[in-house]
Amino acid sequence: MEALAVLFEPQNLFVNVICGFPVSVVYYWCVQRILPPRSKKVYWAAAVAAMILTQFLKPVLTPFARMGLGLMGSLAVPFFCLRGSVVRRVLVCLASMLLQFAAEVVCAIVWVSLTGLQLMDNALALAHASAFVAAMIVGQMIVQPLLLTGLRWVCNRVLPEKGEVSSSRWTARFILFPALQMVFFYIVMTLCFDAGQDSLGQLVVVFSLFVLCAMVDAVLFVQMGRWARKREADIEAALLEERLAAYLQDLEVTQRLLTDTAQLRHDLRNHVAVVQLLAARGDYAEAKAYLSEAKAAVGE
């Protein structure tokens, strides 16, 4: 009974149900526009179940249970219900979670600017309902769809459906890096928010970690791009060297043929001169014999 009373407290219903459900619906709708679901019915059924578990039951769950359900809702549901290769789904799910947090940062900034409060909990959200709703609209209903729409454009440009990145061994290993980053980042974010009740100081710390991870990932992507371009240049240079070696070999053969042809023409001129001399002297039999010997020497 005590748990039910906590679940149905006005501030919890206001924050987690009235405001939380529409925000989650917008998130799942934006994600399914990036990658189409295998089955829309299954996708939305899993999404609604995740929303009920993570939003409605949030006040009575432990921090680690909230973390697990949050990961299941934001990461597991899209991963298993959307189409595409493993690489494509992992990258889209991780990037969507990061952009979702970026939208929450915008919400916090709007909240602080409107209320002047350095922390936020469900009771304060209900007490300042207009400021909380405005923050949610700006961050989750405007900024989040814009960010996820940008992710859709990037995904279609970098990871098109045709010619997707192959899930090779090295690609899978690389994905582990941002995946572990995301898990670590989500755990720190949840623990800090539970301990600090969404205080501005905790938000700054978590946002700094987010910026640091994003910078490291950006540098890593740049270095991988340089390595890929160098690898392509090395392969192209090796192919050019093979073609050059083949061309040089053909040139050597051609030069030998030209030399043999020149020598043959020289020998033929000498044979013609000898035959003409013999014919001029009237030695036709000897000229005929000479022609036979020359023919045998040429191999005809």
Side-chain angles (χ1 to χ4, degrees):
M1 295 298 295
E2 183 178 354
L4 289 176
V6 172
L7 291 176
F8 287 98
E9 287 181 353
Q11 63 267 25
N12 292 333
L13 291 176
F14 173 72
V15 173
N16 299 325
V17 179
I18 297 176
C19 295
F21 267 65
V23 168
S24 299
V25 170
V26 170
Y27 174 79
Y28 284 112
W29 180 78
C30 291
V31 172
Q32 63 94 30
R33 290 183 70 239
I34 302 174
L35 295 179
R38 302 173 188 272
S39 170
K40 288 188 176 181
K41 292 182 179 179
V42 173
Y43 174 78
W44 283 108
V48 170
M51 285 188 286
I52 293 175
L53 291 175
T54 56
Q55 297 297 332
F56 183 70
L57 299 180
K58 184 177 180 180
V60 297
L61 296 176
T62 63
F64 287 102
R66 283 197 292 271
M67 284 189 291
L69 290 176
L71 286 173
M72 181 195 71
S74 299
L75 186 60
V77 170
F79 177 80
F80 288 106
C81 295
L82 298 180
R83 296 178 182 176
S85 66
V86 174
V87 174
R88 185 180 171 92
R89 281 180 287 156
V90 169
L91 291 178
V92 168
C93 292
L94 293 178
S96 298
M97 290 183 66
L98 289 175
L99 295 179
Q100 184 184 36
F101 173 73
E104 292 176 357
V105 172
V106 175
C107 291
I109 294 174
V110 175
W111 166 264
V112 173
S113 64
L114 292 178
T115 63
L117 299 174
Q118 300 298 311
L119 56 86
M120 190 274 292
D121 56 21
N122 291 357
L124 289 174
L126 182 60
H128 300 81
S130 59
F132 181 78
V133 171
M136 297 294 287
I137 291 175
V138 173
Q140 303 288 3
M141 300 297 185
I142 297 177
V143 174
Q144 180 175 250
L146 290 177
L147 293 176
L148 292 176
T149 300
L151 176 62
R152 179 189 180 191
W153 180 85
V154 172
C155 181
N156 291 334
R157 186 178 181 88
V158 178
L159 294 174
E161 293 183 4
K162 295 181 179 180
E164 293 182 354
V165 176
S166 61
S167 54
S168 62
R169 180 179 60 181
W170 290 107
T171 305
R173 289 179 179 178
F174 168 73
I175 291 177
L176 288 177
F177 180 72
L180 292 176
Q181 266 188 354
M182 189 66 247
V183 173
F184 167 76
F185 184 72
Y186 186 82
I187 292 174
V188 172
M189 179 183 68
T190 304
L191 292 178
C192 288
F193 282 7
D194 285 336
Q197 296 184 340
D198 293 356
S199 67
L200 183 60
Q202 300 289 354
L203 180 63
V204 171
V205 172
V206 177
F207 185 69
S208 300
L209 286 174
F210 169 75
V211 173
L212 178 61
C213 292
M215 292 175 61
V216 171
D217 291 340
V219 172
L220 183 59
F221 273 113
V222 170
Q223 294 299 324
M224 287 184 62
R226 292 178 178 176
W227 178 85
R229 288 192 294 271
K230 182 180 181 300
R231 180 65 175 170
E232 291 177 358
D234 292 341
I235 294 175
E236 186 177 357
L239 292 175
L240 290 176
E241 289 180 357
E242 292 180 1
R243 292 179 182 177
L244 179 60
Y247 291 153
L248 292 176
Q249 186 176 3
D250 293 340
L251 178 61
E252 183 179 355
V253 173
T254 303
Q255 288 178 340
R256 287 201 300 266
L257 291 175
L258 291 174
T259 302
D260 294 342
T261 302
Q263 183 64 39
L264 180 60
R265 290 180 61 188
H266 179 268
D267 295 341
L268 288 175
R269 284 197 298 268
N270 290 338
H271 294 322
V272 170
V274 172
V275 170
Q276 288 177 344
L277 179 61
L278 293 175
R281 292 168 49 184
D283 297 333
Y284 297 109
E286 188 175 352
K288 184 177 180 181
Y290 183 84
L291 287 174
S292 299
E293 292 177 0
K295 181 179 179 181
V298 173
E300 297 180 352

